[in-house]
Amino acid sequence: MRDDEENGVLHAGRAFQQYSVDQFIKLETQRLDFYSFNQDLFRVEALAGLLDVLRHGERDASSIGKQSFLPASFVGGPRDMRRRYIDAIALVQHFGKSDIFLTMTCNPSWPEIEEHLFVTDGVQNQPDLVSRVFRVKVEEMKTDILKRNIFGRVAAFMFTIEFQKRGLPHAHFLIILNNEYKLLTPEAYDKIICAELPDSDTNDYLYTLVTKHMMHGPCGSLNPKCPCTEKKDIISLNIQKNLPITHQREKMGIQYIKDEIPAKLENKDAKNLKLLYKEFPEYFVWSKQYRMWTRRQRGTVIGRIVTCHPTEGERYYLRLLLMIIRGSKSYQHLLTVNGVCCSTFREAAEKKGLLQCNNNLVDCMSEAVRYQMPYSLRCLFAMLLIYCNPANPKELWDKFEDSMSEDFKIMPNLNKKQIRHMTLNHINDILHSMSHDINEFTLVPERISVSSAAKEAQDSHFERNIIVRKEDLLLEAKLNNEQREAYNIILDRIFKNKPGAFFIDGPGGTGKTSLYHALLAAIRSKGFVALATATSGVAASILPGGRTAHSRFKIPIDIDRQFSCNISKQSSLALLIQDAKLIVWDEVSMAKKELIEAFDLLLKDLMDTKILFGGKVVVFCGDFRQTLPVIRSGKKRTSYKKACYVLTFGINSKNCDY
């Protein structure tokens, strides 16, 4: 702090808070812009999808996955948080569950804070001062825990810092003690935890601190304004620990990283130690300068291997072998069984007896139970049923039923039978989306019916098998001259496989809906796919097989500057859109232009072309006469209207642009 300098920004009260937030948003926006502007360099897909494409001989990255994603290098993003979460769980797997949950709160009366505040300043209006002081206090607490051993020797710990609504931070610590210091008896807990007031005669200082900082008036419903009832805004889940985690780098996207396994397995010292692959970082460290592995001289590191689904094929079987074979020397060593070199890792695992029983599947589920949520466990269980051919599926179900149904157990008024039924129904939905049924595996005696929840694959099947009504087929004969002209022009483009973007313009009641029905019936009656969408749900319900554009093209409801349609390129929905001969979008005059631009980018990506709307025949419909003006002195034509053929009927044709 510079007391001899006047700084109007630091002492501007709530305006300084707003200034701080604005500056942070600028920095965060720059980071996001970097990834956004470089999206054309990357594509993302689950490894299972990559392997499926590679098996079919595809080598073009533009044919895989989605174009928009946020990599793990973006701090605070979903991939970064998942990696931190798995790192933290690796500590729990290695050392066991935490022994102490410690909360440290910020004291606005700390002298380090008070001596630098002006009389007119409020503590909540000095986030820079409060954050810096609190960080120093947290570091001192870490020193107490790790070096002064106030709880005994610590094996590992994690902490996260959060900010309350009032702007005061607090930290949560999860502490794992060494075995000889673990708290195993009530007497051991009483030595470090006290839930009563200290004796004011024997320990006046501690009594004063407890009564001043740890007690307040009535709380809960008796005092809704008390601090314990305030909602907390989480600012960061910055997981820290005193032990680093080393893990195999995840292979997301089409850019494959040169595998490090041979370099690790060929180290002579590693061969002598007979280590598992995940144990290697505990004894060796990679030197970036000399590009070689050397014996670790100091520090303790926990290794882990990134999890993978059984659907990932050879990578899954390689991981399975690495988890059980010690002292592996090379790929060839892993593939060799009884002196015979196998051609695939699956073959090697099968010859070693790893696929002839449920043991490896039990290990797979047991490992996932430690860190996966019940929803993910059910997805994994369905994958194991389909791709791993378990010898006894019922044994797996009986062993992990409780873990897979934990989220349903917290729902009120559900008995055990209902919880089991809901769990099985969800697993059946997953299996049904992959053309399987849970009744094939006889997990329970009773038969499980298919859930009514619509899956993407079911939607695709529905669209390809829409029954055309007879009255819609007869509409062609009832079209007037202007309707028929539009009808013939659009169908001519479709059947000649030529691109075309049209905008049907006309006031309400001039027969636009009849034209849509006639076009959809003409295409579908010949066995082709025609997608009917609308901006609003009411308009979509009028169209045969109609869906809202947000639902059909996976457009997010809350859009920002960098949003995109969430459709993977090898999904069944992407294939459906690629096969569509006609796309109709009604009430497009109600949609923002950003939605149309995102729709255009989606079609270009799916069709691998730069032609407008991917070269598809797209028919936009609407009436801008029903749209209230929102920009004074704005242009009459919209940005995308100029790029379309405007087919106007019911009004004077001289208003047409083309």
Side-chain angles (χ1 to χ4, degrees):
M1 294 298 176
R2 301 174 181 176
D3 297 329
D4 57 336
E5 295 183 12
E6 293 186 3
N7 192 322
V9 175
L10 293 177
H11 307 289
R14 295 185 63 183
F16 177 51
Q17 293 190 39
Q18 185 63 51
Y19 173 80
S20 302
V21 172
D22 291 342
Q23 296 305 313
F24 175 79
I25 290 175
K26 288 181 180 179
L27 296 175
E28 198 77 343
T29 301
Q30 286 183 343
R31 296 171 60 209
L32 290 170
D33 284 345
F34 171 79
Y35 295 109
S36 175
F37 295 150
N38 290 279
Q39 286 293 315
D40 57 334
L41 303 179
F42 307 99
R43 297 190 73 87
V44 64
E45 183 54 276
L47 193 59
L50 296 179
L51 294 177
D52 289 340
V53 174
L54 292 174
R55 290 191 191 104
H56 289 87
E58 181 62 64
R59 292 297 183 269
D60 185 5
S62 64
S63 303
I64 299 175
K66 296 178 292 185
Q67 191 173 19
S68 178
F69 78 106
L70 203 58
S73 57
F74 180 80
V75 178
R79 289 183 176 84
D80 172 65
M81 299 308 293
R82 173 173 171 78
R83 184 172 59 182
R84 292 171 183 265
Y85 167 70
I86 295 178
D87 285 350
I89 291 299
L91 291 174
V92 178
Q93 291 176 338
H94 187 85
F95 294 107
K97 296 181 179 179
S98 57
D99 299 289
I100 297 174
F101 178 78
L102 176 66
T103 299
M104 176 183 175
T105 58
C106 177
N107 181 5
S109 300
W110 278 333
E112 294 89 346
I113 294 178
E114 288 188 331
E115 68 179 342
H116 294 295
L117 286 176
F118 283 10
V119 178
T120 57
D121 288 339
V123 177
Q124 70 277 6
N125 294 327
Q126 290 282 282
D128 60 326
L129 174 62
V130 172
S131 299
R132 293 175 67 182
V133 172
F134 184 74
R135 182 70 189 194
V136 173
K137 298 289 186 179
V138 168
E139 293 300 321
E140 187 68 16
M141 173 63 76
K142 289 168 61 178
T143 301
D144 288 339
I145 295 173
L146 296 175
K147 296 183 179 180
R148 300 190 180 104
N149 300 324
I150 60 174
F151 299 117
R153 294 292 300 274
V154 174
F157 83 98
M158 300 151 279
F159 79 91
T160 179
I161 297 178
E162 301 177 359
F163 283 81
Q164 293 179 335
K165 190 176 181 180
R166 293 183 299 170
L168 297 177
H170 63 276
H172 297 302
F173 290 81
L174 285 174
I175 303 171
I176 305 174
L177 300 175
N178 279 348
N179 291 332
E180 61 269 27
Y181 293 96
K182 286 188 178 294
L183 308 175
L184 303 177
T185 63
E187 291 76 17
Y189 282 98
D190 288 340
K191 291 181 180 180
I192 62 172
I193 298 175
C194 182
E196 59 185 17
L197 288 175
D199 190 344
S200 59
D201 296 330
T202 60
N203 201 334
D204 180 62
Y205 178 68
L206 182 59
Y207 175 83
T208 303
L209 292 178
V210 171
T211 55
K212 181 180 180 181
H213 301 296
M214 302 183 67
M215 295 182 62
H216 52 79
C219 60
S221 59
L222 299 178
N223 184 11
K225 295 183 180 181
C226 67
C228 63
T229 60
E230 285 191 356
K231 294 183 178 179
K232 302 171 183 177
D233 296 326
I234 299 178
I235 302 300
S236 65
L237 289 170
N238 181 22
I239 298 176
Q240 304 287 339
K241 54 283 211 185
N242 67 321
L243 294 176
I245 302 289
T246 301
H247 54 85
Q248 183 188 26
R249 192 169 181 182
E250 295 192 43
K251 300 177 180 177
M252 278 305 283
I254 194 61
Q255 291 183 328
Y256 282 88
I257 302 165
K258 185 176 180 181
D259 217 313
E260 299 177 353
I261 291 178
K264 290 185 178 182
L265 299 181
E266 291 174 0
N267 189 287
K268 296 181 180 179
D269 292 335
K271 296 176 183 178
N272 298 331
L273 289 174
K274 299 294 184 181
L275 299 176
L276 289 175
Y277 179 63
K278 67 176 182 179
E279 296 172 348
F280 197 90
E282 298 180 25
Y283 300 91
F284 298 90
V285 63
W286 174 255
S287 173
K288 294 183 179 179
Q289 180 179 359
Y290 300 104
R291 300 190 63 80
M292 62 180 297
W293 291 91
T294 58
R295 285 297 296 263
R296 182 175 295 279
Q297 302 297 326
R298 58 185 176 86
T300 305
V301 170
I302 301 170
R304 69 172 176 88
I305 302 180
V306 176
T307 58
C308 57
H309 272 282
T311 56
E312 298 181 24
E314 284 295 277
R315 186 169 181 250
Y316 169 77
Y317 298 109
L318 170 61
R319 186 181 189 275
L320 187 62
L321 293 169
L322 290 173
M323 292 294 288
I324 63 171
I325 297 179
R326 291 186 172 273
S328 301
K329 303 174 183 177
S330 62
Y331 282 135
Q332 185 176 3
H333 182 265
L334 290 172
L335 290 169
T336 302
V337 181
N338 298 327
V340 179
C341 185
C342 303
S343 58
T344 64
F345 292 116
R346 178 186 175 90
E347 183 183 353
E350 189 173 4
K351 288 187 176 181
K352 288 182 180 291
L354 300 179
L355 306 184
Q356 297 176 359
C357 61
N358 276 8
N359 291 342
N360 65 311
L361 303 185
V362 170
D363 292 341
C364 178
M365 287 292 295
S366 299
E367 183 180 354
V369 164
R370 297 175 184 173
Y371 64 91
Q372 294 283 17
M373 296 295 110
Y375 180 93
S376 299
L377 290 177
R378 294 192 290 269
C379 294
L380 175 59
F381 181 74
M383 295 290 183
L384 295 179
L385 292 179
I386 295 176
Y387 294 100
C388 294
N389 300 319
N392 192 341
K394 189 176 185 303
E395 178 186 350
L396 276 180
W397 164 253
D398 293 338
K399 188 174 182 64
F400 298 102
E401 177 185 357
D402 290 339
S403 300
M404 291 189 289
S405 58
E406 284 181 351
D407 52 344
F408 295 131
K409 291 179 181 178
I410 63 175
M411 295 183 178
N413 305 322
L414 288 180
N415 55 39
K416 186 175 181 179
K417 184 177 181 180
Q418 291 172 322
I419 293 173
R420 169 178 284 191
H421 185 72
M422 294 176 68
T423 306
L424 290 169
N425 267 343
H426 182 238
I427 295 173
N428 194 24
D429 288 342
I430 301 171
L431 294 172
H432 196 263
S433 67
M434 296 182 285
S435 303
H436 285 268
D437 190 89
I438 197 171
N439 299 294
E440 303 172 19
F441 306 98
T442 61
L443 303 179
V444 291
E446 61 270 20
R447 183 174 180 81
I448 305 299
S449 58
V450 179
S451 172
S452 58
K455 299 297 178 181
E456 190 176 283
Q458 294 172 317
D459 290 341
S460 178
H461 177 77
F462 172 78
E463 285 287 350
R464 296 177 188 276
N465 294 275
I466 293 178
I467 299 176
V468 181
R469 298 185 305 173
K470 186 176 180 180
E471 50 267 32
D472 289 342
L473 289 173
L474 298 176
L475 282 175
E476 179 186 358
K478 301 179 181 179
L479 299 178
N480 59 33
N481 293 334
E482 293 172 326
Q483 290 173 325
R484 181 171 296 280
E485 182 181 4
Y487 178 85
N488 292 333
I489 291 175
I490 294 172
L491 287 186
D492 181 68
R493 286 298 181 103
I494 294 174
F495 295 128
K496 289 183 178 179
N497 291 322
K498 293 183 178 180
F502 302 90
F503 182 81
I504 305 298
D505 182 27
T510 55
K512 296 192 296 295
T513 303
S514 299
L515 176 61
Y516 317 152
H517 283 244
L519 286 170
L520 293 170
I523 300 301
R524 289 169 175 169
S525 63
K526 299 184 182 302
F528 297 120
V529 176
L531 302 180
T533 64
T535 304
S536 66
V538 175
S541 64
I542 301 175
L543 300 173
R547 294 277 293 272
T548 63
H550 286 80
S551 173
R552 170 55 65 214
F553 304 117
K554 306 302 179 186
I555 303 173
I557 299 298
D558 298 324
I559 63 173
D560 53 25
R561 190 176 59 170
Q562 302 296 344
F563 81 98
S564 61
C565 301
N566 188 24
I567 298 179
S568 178
K569 202 166 184 178
Q570 31 320 5
S571 64
S572 58
L573 179 55
L575 296 176
L576 178 70
I577 296 174
Q578 290 170 348
D579 291 343
K581 289 288 187 180
L582 171 68
I583 300 177
V584 175
W585 189 333
D586 194 12
E587 297 292 355
V588 76
S589 56
M590 298 172 57
K592 293 184 178 181
K593 73 183 182 90
E594 290 83 3
L595 301 184
I596 311 300
E597 292 168 353
F599 173 62
D600 177 39
L601 291 176
L602 171 68
L603 294 182
K604 288 178 179 177
D605 182 39
L606 294 182
M607 302 306 297
D608 289 320
T609 181
K610 294 184 179 180
I611 301 176
L612 182 69
F613 299 115
K616 291 286 184 185
V617 176
V618 181
V619 177
F620 296 110
C621 321
D623 181 12
F624 283 98
R625 300 163 191 81
Q626 301 177 20
T627 304
L628 296 177
V630 292
I631 301 177
R632 185 172 295 178
S633 302
K635 295 182 179 179
K636 294 182 179 180
R637 303 183 183 94
T638 61
S639 60
Y640 59 89
K641 187 175 178 182
K642 290 182 179 180
C644 303
Y645 295 92
V646 181
L647 303 177
T648 307
F649 51 90
I651 58 175
N652 196 326
S653 60
K654 70 180 182 180
N655 292 328
C656 296
D657 288 339
Y658 300 93

PDB file of all heavy atoms in Angstrom, residues 155-166:
ATOM      1  N   ALA A 155      -0.215 -37.098   5.046  1.00  0.00           N
ATOM      2  CA  ALA A 155       0.112 -37.810   3.811  1.00  0.00           C
ATOM      3  C   ALA A 155      -0.189 -36.944   2.590  1.00  0.00           C
ATOM      4  O   ALA A 155       0.593 -36.878   1.641  1.00  0.00           O
ATOM      5  CB  ALA A 155      -0.657 -39.121   3.741  1.00  0.00           C
ATOM      6  N   ALA A 156      -1.311 -36.270   2.590  1.00  0.00           N
ATOM      7  CA  ALA A 156      -1.710 -35.410   1.470  1.00  0.00           C
ATOM      8  C   ALA A 156      -2.855 -34.530   1.925  1.00  0.00           C
ATOM      9  O   ALA A 156      -3.542 -34.833   2.904  1.00  0.00           O
ATOM     10  CB  ALA A 156      -2.127 -36.239   0.261  1.00  0.00           C
ATOM     11  N   PHE A 157      -3.064 -33.446   1.215  1.00  0.00           N
ATOM     12  CA  PHE A 157      -4.236 -32.617   1.505  1.00  0.00           C
ATOM     13  C   PHE A 157      -4.619 -31.852   0.252  1.00  0.00           C
ATOM     14  O   PHE A 157      -3.813 -31.644  -0.649  1.00  0.00           O
ATOM     15  CB  PHE A 157      -3.986 -31.673   2.682  1.00  0.00           C
ATOM     16  CG  PHE A 157      -3.269 -30.399   2.321  1.00  0.00           C
ATOM     17  CD1 PHE A 157      -3.978 -29.230   2.111  1.00  0.00           C
ATOM     18  CD2 PHE A 157      -1.894 -30.377   2.186  1.00  0.00           C
ATOM     19  CE1 PHE A 157      -3.330 -28.061   1.780  1.00  0.00           C
ATOM     20  CE2 PHE A 157      -1.237 -29.217   1.858  1.00  0.00           C
ATOM     21  CZ  PHE A 157      -1.947 -28.047   1.655  1.00  0.00           C
ATOM     22  N   MET A 158      -5.876 -31.434   0.207  1.00  0.00           N
ATOM     23  CA  MET A 158      -6.430 -30.639  -0.885  1.00  0.00           C
ATOM     24  C   MET A 158      -7.189 -29.477  -0.290  1.00  0.00           C
ATOM     25  O   MET A 158      -7.712 -29.578   0.822  1.00  0.00           O
ATOM     26  CB  MET A 158      -7.373 -31.479  -1.748  1.00  0.00           C
ATOM     27  CG  MET A 158      -6.718 -32.685  -2.404  1.00  0.00           C
ATOM     28  SD  MET A 158      -7.888 -34.032  -2.670  1.00  0.00           S
ATOM     29  CE  MET A 158      -7.914 -34.770  -1.039  1.00  0.00           C
ATOM     30  N   PHE A 159      -7.261 -28.367  -1.006  1.00  0.00           N
ATOM     31  CA  PHE A 159      -8.070 -27.258  -0.508  1.00  0.00           C
ATOM     32  C   PHE A 159      -8.664 -26.486  -1.672  1.00  0.00           C
ATOM     33  O   PHE A 159      -8.158 -26.512  -2.790  1.00  0.00           O
ATOM     34  CB  PHE A 159      -7.256 -26.340   0.409  1.00  0.00           C
ATOM     35  CG  PHE A 159      -6.345 -25.380  -0.300  1.00  0.00           C
ATOM     36  CD1 PHE A 159      -6.781 -24.114  -0.642  1.00  0.00           C
ATOM     37  CD2 PHE A 159      -5.039 -25.738  -0.617  1.00  0.00           C
ATOM     38  CE1 PHE A 159      -5.941 -23.220  -1.279  1.00  0.00           C
ATOM     39  CE2 PHE A 159      -4.193 -24.859  -1.257  1.00  0.00           C
ATOM     40  CZ  PHE A 159      -4.641 -23.587  -1.592  1.00  0.00           C
ATOM     41  N   THR A 160      -9.735 -25.791  -1.374  1.00  0.00           N
ATOM     42  CA  THR A 160     -10.398 -24.943  -2.357  1.00  0.00           C
ATOM     43  C   THR A 160     -10.780 -23.643  -1.689  1.00  0.00           C
ATOM     44  O   THR A 160     -11.106 -23.621  -0.495  1.00  0.00           O
ATOM     45  CB  THR A 160     -11.647 -25.620  -2.954  1.00  0.00           C
ATOM     46  OG1 THR A 160     -12.258 -24.732  -3.890  1.00  0.00           O
ATOM     47  CG2 THR A 160     -12.651 -25.956  -1.878  1.00  0.00           C
ATOM     48  N   ILE A 161     -10.715 -22.534  -2.417  1.00  0.00           N
ATOM     49  CA  ILE A 161     -11.042 -21.210  -1.893  1.00  0.00           C
ATOM     50  C   ILE A 161     -12.339 -20.739  -2.533  1.00  0.00           C
ATOM     51  O   ILE A 161     -12.497 -20.797  -3.752  1.00  0.00           O
ATOM     52  CB  ILE A 161      -9.905 -20.214  -2.172  1.00  0.00           C
ATOM     53  CG1 ILE A 161      -8.625 -20.649  -1.449  1.00  0.00           C
ATOM     54  CG2 ILE A 161     -10.303 -18.810  -1.744  1.00  0.00           C
ATOM     55  CD1 ILE A 161      -7.440 -19.750  -1.710  1.00  0.00           C
ATOM     56  N   GLU A 162     -13.266 -20.278  -1.715  1.00  0.00           N
ATOM     57  CA  GLU A 162     -14.548 -19.770  -2.192  1.00  0.00           C
ATOM     58  C   GLU A 162     -14.775 -18.374  -1.635  1.00  0.00           C
ATOM     59  O   GLU A 162     -14.143 -17.967  -0.653  1.00  0.00           O
ATOM     60  CB  GLU A 162     -15.688 -20.694  -1.763  1.00  0.00           C
ATOM     61  CG  GLU A 162     -15.556 -22.126  -2.269  1.00  0.00           C
ATOM     62  CD  GLU A 162     -16.671 -23.007  -1.740  1.00  0.00           C
ATOM     63  OE1 GLU A 162     -17.498 -22.489  -0.978  1.00  0.00           O
ATOM     64  OE2 GLU A 162     -16.689 -24.201  -2.080  1.00  0.00           O
ATOM     65  N   PHE A 163     -15.683 -17.639  -2.270  1.00  0.00           N
ATOM     66  CA  PHE A 163     -16.024 -16.298  -1.820  1.00  0.00           C
ATOM     67  C   PHE A 163     -17.505 -16.241  -1.472  1.00  0.00           C
ATOM     68  O   PHE A 163     -18.350 -16.700  -2.243  1.00  0.00           O
ATOM     69  CB  PHE A 163     -15.710 -15.259  -2.892  1.00  0.00           C
ATOM     70  CG  PHE A 163     -14.259 -14.929  -2.993  1.00  0.00           C
ATOM     71  CD1 PHE A 163     -13.404 -15.754  -3.700  1.00  0.00           C
ATOM     72  CD2 PHE A 163     -13.730 -13.811  -2.382  1.00  0.00           C
ATOM     73  CE1 PHE A 163     -12.060 -15.479  -3.800  1.00  0.00           C
ATOM     74  CE2 PHE A 163     -12.387 -13.515  -2.479  1.00  0.00           C
ATOM     75  CZ  PHE A 163     -11.540 -14.348  -3.189  1.00  0.00           C
ATOM     76  N   GLN A 164     -17.799 -15.667  -0.302  1.00  0.00           N
ATOM     77  CA  GLN A 164     -19.182 -15.494   0.103  1.00  0.00           C
ATOM     78  C   GLN A 164     -19.799 -14.333  -0.652  1.00  0.00           C
ATOM     79  O   GLN A 164     -19.127 -13.560  -1.336  1.00  0.00           O
ATOM     80  CB  GLN A 164     -19.271 -15.239   1.606  1.00  0.00           C
ATOM     81  CG  GLN A 164     -18.870 -16.427   2.470  1.00  0.00           C
ATOM     82  CD  GLN A 164     -18.946 -16.097   3.945  1.00  0.00           C
ATOM     83  OE1 GLN A 164     -18.846 -14.942   4.330  1.00  0.00           O
ATOM     84  NE2 GLN A 164     -19.138 -17.111   4.759  1.00  0.00           N
ATOM     85  N   LYS A 165     -21.095 -14.209  -0.485  1.00  0.00           N
ATOM     86  CA  LYS A 165     -21.817 -13.129  -1.148  1.00  0.00           C
ATOM     87  C   LYS A 165     -21.317 -11.758  -0.691  1.00  0.00           C
ATOM     88  O   LYS A 165     -21.323 -10.801  -1.436  1.00  0.00           O
ATOM     89  CB  LYS A 165     -23.318 -13.279  -0.852  1.00  0.00           C
ATOM     90  CG  LYS A 165     -24.212 -12.362  -1.660  1.00  0.00           C
ATOM     91  CD  LYS A 165     -25.671 -12.656  -1.378  1.00  0.00           C
ATOM     92  CE  LYS A 165     -26.577 -11.762  -2.211  1.00  0.00           C
ATOM     93  NZ  LYS A 165     -28.001 -12.036  -1.940  1.00  0.00           N
ATOM     94  N   ARG A 166     -20.862 -11.665   0.567  1.00  0.00           N
ATOM     95  CA  ARG A 166     -20.373 -10.395   1.093  1.00  0.00           C
ATOM     96  C   ARG A 166     -18.959 -10.072   0.607  1.00  0.00           C
ATOM     97  O   ARG A 166     -18.414  -9.029   0.939  1.00  0.00           O
ATOM     98  CB  ARG A 166     -20.370 -10.437   2.631  1.00  0.00           C
ATOM     99  CG  ARG A 166     -21.766 -10.503   3.230  1.00  0.00           C
ATOM    100  CD  ARG A 166     -21.689 -10.467   4.738  1.00  0.00           C
ATOM    101  NE  ARG A 166     -20.942 -11.603   5.257  1.00  0.00           N
ATOM    102  CZ  ARG A 166     -20.558 -11.722   6.523  1.00  0.00           C
ATOM    103  NH1 ARG A 166     -20.835 -10.773   7.384  1.00  0.00           N
ATOM    104  NH2 ARG A 166     -19.893 -12.793   6.924  1.00  0.00           N
TER     105      ARG A 166
END
